[in-house]
Amino acid sequence: MDDLYTLLERAETNSDYRHILERLRWFDGFQCPNCGWDQYYPIKTRGLRECKQCGLQVSPTSGTFLHKARNLRSWVRAILFFLQKDELSSVSIALMFNRSYATAWFMMHKIRFVLGQSLDHVFSTEQREFSCSTMRAALFKASSGDVLMRPAAEVLLEQDADNRADFNFEDFVRLQYFLISMLVVFQGVSRKYSQLYAFEFSLRRDRQFLDPLRLLGCFVRGSPLARSELKQYLAPYMIRL
Ligand SMILES: [Zn+2]
């Protein structure tokens, strides 16, 4: 595994990054996604592996969260930057990788989504659930144009005493930090995507424990995440922090 850190540090091209993802995906051996066979022929020129039993040609990203991602360099760098920088907006990702704002926005949400799905796998920290109604000041519906312009301090004072009583001190602090972060960094977020931002908040909170290769490994697992899956994302009533 040690040499993978070196490779990651020196990686420049898409094929360098493909090689790293290949190692991460099959670090404990190849398995054909079609028939489960563990023997393959390497097709080095195209960075593929061909199953010796059924002949399926598999790329390191096929069937994973990075399925059909063409620019692996941008993806891997965006994933790593995502956690290294304190505030990383879709605009800065768009400028950094010369992508459109819409593409950058989608990349950021997908990164939040995938890492969020993997939280239990990445952390030992216990996640708690909080009702969205206690966070209404920081979570608004983007479609309604109800953009919150009031200072964070004023909003936080509004958190009613009834809700406070339900939390222990640690929960209360966790919730307040989340609200401040949503208000100060994002000027409030759409409730629909609040869980994704909560995932990001949790990841940043514990980022000193995060291992870059382990995080990248999350992206070469699981099923492909279609654009539609994020579009269908519904506003939650409870969010995990
Ligand atoms: Zn096969």
Side-chain angles (χ1 to χ4, degrees), residues 32 94 104 109 165 182 185-186 229:
C32 171
H109 268 354
M182 291 306 102
V185 180
F186 299 102
E229 204 173 320

Side-chain angles (χ1 to χ4, degrees), residues 18-229:
R18 184 177 296 105
H19 176 64
I20 292 167
L21 293 173
E22 182 182 2
R23 295 268 307 271
L24 285 173
R25 179 167 186 183
W26 292 305
F27 75 97
D28 56 357
F30 174 76
Q31 199 188 22
C32 171
N34 183 42
C35 69
W37 203 244
D38 60 359
Q39 305 282 312
Y40 66 94
Y41 303 107
I43 309 176
K44 288 210 168 127
T45 46
R46 294 166 59 209
L48 302 173
R49 291 185 179 191
E50 185 181 305
C51 172
K52 277 193 180 179
Q53 178 150 279
C54 73
L56 183 77
Q57 297 189 341
V58 198
S59 87
T61 54
S62 62
T64 72
F65 287 117
L66 290 176
H67 191 71
K68 288 193 175 166
R70 266 173 284 165
N71 196 335
L72 292 177
R73 180 178 184 268
S74 294
W75 270 104
V76 173
R77 291 194 165 188
I79 293 162
L80 299 177
F81 276 131
F82 183 78
L83 290 162
Q84 282 160 6
K85 306 277 178 195
D86 270 334
E87 293 170 31
L88 192 58
S89 66
S90 300
V91 176
S92 48
I93 285 278
L95 290 172
M96 208 181 292
F97 300 112
N98 197 20
R99 299 293 192 89
S100 71
Y101 176 79
T103 305
W105 183 91
F106 177 73
M107 284 174 86
M108 296 279 283
H109 268 354
K110 185 161 165 177
I111 292 170
R112 290 183 183 106
F113 182 89
V114 174
L115 294 180
Q117 301 299 312
S118 317
L119 275 184
D120 293 336
H121 181 78
V122 174
F123 296 131
S124 49
T125 325
E126 193 200 342
Q127 297 276 300
R128 291 288 312 267
E129 286 202 319
F130 298 96
S131 158
C132 282
S133 63
T134 63
M135 302 176 223
R136 60 187 179 277
L139 313 180
F140 61 89
K141 271 189 180 166
S143 55
S144 70
D146 176 22
V147 180
L148 189 103
M149 300 301 286
R150 289 173 303 152
E154 189 185 315
V155 172
L156 293 177
L157 283 173
E158 267 176 29
Q159 298 299 312
D160 49 305
D162 291 348
N163 282 325
R164 274 184 223 191
D166 294 339
F167 306 137
N168 61 38
F169 182 70
E170 201 186 312
D171 287 347
F172 183 67
V173 171
R174 187 182 293 199
L175 188 60
Q176 295 303 323
Y177 272 118
F178 175 66
L179 290 176
I180 290 170
S181 149
M182 291 306 102
L183 287 166
V184 174
V185 180
F186 299 102
Q187 280 86 50
V189 299
S190 154
R191 191 183 132 206
K192 184 175 175 185
Y193 295 111
S194 52
Q195 181 60 72
L196 298 183
Y197 288 104
F199 285 149
E200 177 176 346
F201 173 80
S202 302
L203 286 161
R204 288 190 192 285
R205 183 185 55 202
D206 294 326
R207 70 177 160 182
Q208 68 270 34
F209 307 115
L210 299 175
D211 174 79
L213 288 176
R214 217 166 153 191
L215 287 180
L216 283 179
C218 298
F219 287 80
V220 283
R221 272 202 305 270
S223 58
L225 168 70
R227 225 164 249 264
S228 57
E229 204 173 320

